């Protein structure tokens, strides 16, 4: 499947810059539009502490409670990927979404977002582009970049940097990480998988304060 890099174009201006990317990719870089793509992210808060504390301790409870992150990617429609507060990434069958929705006494849905956009093929790269909307708040443009010839995590920093520079204008303010410590969440540092991409999404949304 190659390796993935995520970029958030923080000062993008909605559909104008979405259209800029689309035209630049297809007309200048001769990329091919391969159709729509989507992903969903959910955050759950555990209810254990809430059920065992009174209102006077509510502030402490929220601080001490755990969060569960769940990512579902269109390129892996039969699975979801979950992580509880920086523990290990777990791959589960799609039915996990239904199970969590029924465990409201244990996990309460805190936030949910679905992102929809367009996918392009550009030589050895796949580029997925979408606007980030959290409710009615616009949070920039999301770029998911796959580089197919490589399967080793953290090994294509320069290639990704050069590709990003060829896609976005020099005035773009971007948020990204090119390298991750995958082993700390139970993922391989030698073979990239969809779980690695899911972890990148969890980190992007956590570190940028989008959740």
């Amino acid at each position: 499947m190659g390796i993935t890099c995520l970029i958030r174009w923080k000062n993008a201006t909605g559909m104008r810059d979405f259209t800029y990317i689309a035209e630049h990719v297809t007309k200048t870089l001769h990329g091919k539009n391969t159709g729509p793509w989507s992903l969903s992210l959910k955050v759950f808060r555990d209810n254990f502490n809430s059920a065992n504390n009174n209102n006077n301790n509510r502030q402490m409870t929220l601080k001490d409670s755990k969060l569960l992150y769940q990512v579902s990617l269109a390129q892996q429609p039969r699975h979801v990927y979950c992580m509880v507060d920086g523990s290990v990434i777990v791959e589960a069958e799609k039915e996990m979404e239904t199970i969590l929705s029924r465990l409201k006494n244990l996990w309460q849905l805190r936030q949910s977002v679905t992102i929809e956009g367009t996918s392009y093929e550009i030589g050895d790269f796949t580029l997925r582009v979408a606007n980030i909307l959290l409710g009615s708040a616009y949070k920039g443009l999301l770029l998911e970049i796959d580089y197919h010839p490589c399967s080793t995590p953290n090994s294509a920093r320069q290639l990704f940097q050069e590709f990003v520079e060829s896609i976005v204008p020099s005035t773009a303010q971007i948020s990204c990480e090119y390298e991750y410590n995958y082993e700390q969440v139970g993922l391989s540092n030698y073979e990239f998988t969809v779980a690695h991409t899911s972890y990148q999404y969890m980190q992007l949304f956590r570190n940028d304060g989008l959740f």
Side-chain angles (χ1 to χ4, degrees), residues 1-5 75 124-126 128 144-156 160 182 188 190-197 200:
M1 64 164 286
I3 58 177
T4 300
C5 175
Q75 57 264 45
D124 290 332
F125 293 88
T126 294
R128 301 181 179 95
E144 179 187 311
I145 305 162
D146 292 347
Y147 178 60
H148 301 295
C150 181
S151 61
T152 306
N154 300 331
S155 61
F160 280 131
Y182 292 112
S188 171
Y190 303 99
E191 188 69 27
F192 199 91
T193 67
V194 177
H196 291 69
T197 303
Q200 290 186 16

Side-chain angles (χ1 to χ4, degrees), residues 4 9 12 16 38 54 82 90 147 164-165 173 196:
T4 300
W9 179 355
R16 185 178 72 178
S38 65
N54 57 36
C82 303
V90 176
Y147 178 60
V164 171
E165 290 173 0
Q173 299 174 10
H196 291 69

Side-chain angles (χ1 to χ4, degrees), residues 7-22:
I7 305 291
R8 183 168 76 96
W9 179 355
K10 297 187 290 185
N11 62 333
T13 55
M15 287 308 299
R16 185 178 72 178
D17 285 326
F18 186 97
T19 302
Y20 164 81
I21 291 284

Side-chain angles (χ1 to χ4, degrees), residues 48-91:
F48 177 77
N49 287 323
S50 297
N52 290 278
N53 287 273
N54 57 36
N55 290 334
N56 292 331
N57 293 328
R58 178 173 176 77
Q59 186 174 359
M60 182 179 296
T61 297
L62 292 177
K63 180 180 178 181
D64 295 339
S65 63
K66 294 182 179 180
L67 299 178
L68 184 153
Y69 300 87
Q70 177 187 289
V71 176
S72 177
L73 301 171
Q75 57 264 45
Q76 193 74 4
R78 301 172 71 176
H79 294 89
V80 296
Y81 299 85
C82 303
M83 180 181 73
V84 176
D85 271 343
S87 57
V88 298
I89 299 289
V90 176
E91 179 184 86

Side-chain angles (χ1 to χ4, degrees), residues 22-184:
E23 292 182 349
H24 179 62
V25 166
T26 55
K27 295 180 180 179
T28 304
L29 301 180
H30 307 292
K32 179 183 178 182
N33 184 326
T34 54
W37 75 283
S38 65
L39 66 106
S40 67
L41 299 99
K42 296 179 181 179
V43 179
F44 299 82
R45 186 186 296 277
D46 83 277
N47 282 336
F48 177 77
N49 287 323
S50 297
N52 290 278
N53 287 273
N54 57 36
N55 290 334
N56 292 331
N57 293 328
R58 178 173 176 77
Q59 186 174 359
M60 182 179 296
T61 297
L62 292 177
K63 180 180 178 181
D64 295 339
S65 63
K66 294 182 179 180
L67 299 178
L68 184 153
Y69 300 87
Q70 177 187 289
V71 176
S72 177
L73 301 171
Q75 57 264 45
Q76 193 74 4
R78 301 172 71 176
H79 294 89
V80 296
Y81 299 85
C82 303
M83 180 181 73
V84 176
D85 271 343
S87 57
V88 298
I89 299 289
V90 176
E91 179 184 86
E93 298 294 325
K94 190 72 172 177
E95 288 73 20
M96 175 61 74
E97 290 186 311
T98 303
I99 293 172
L100 284 174
S101 69
R102 294 174 178 173
L103 295 176
K104 294 180 180 179
N105 59 321
L106 298 177
W107 294 100
Q108 185 68 40
L109 181 63
R110 175 187 176 194
Q111 193 168 357
S112 176
V113 58
T114 297
I115 297 174
E116 298 178 330
T118 306
S119 179
Y120 302 90
E121 295 292 335
I122 313 167
D124 290 332
F125 293 88
T126 294
L127 172 67
R128 301 181 179 95
V129 186
N131 286 307
I132 304 174
L133 286 171
L134 302 182
S136 60
Y138 180 71
K139 295 297 183 178
L141 200 63
L142 174 68
L143 309 177
E144 179 187 311
I145 305 162
D146 292 347
Y147 178 60
H148 301 295
C150 181
S151 61
T152 306
N154 300 331
S155 61
R157 180 188 185 101
Q158 184 174 349
L159 276 171
F160 280 131
Q161 287 177 325
E162 292 174 353
F163 184 80
V164 171
E165 290 173 0
S166 75
I167 293 294
V168 302
S170 59
T171 55
Q173 299 174 10
I174 64 172
S175 173
C176 68
E177 289 186 43
Y178 293 105
E179 296 179 355
Y180 297 80
N181 185 355
Y182 292 112
E183 287 187 338
Q184 72 177 357

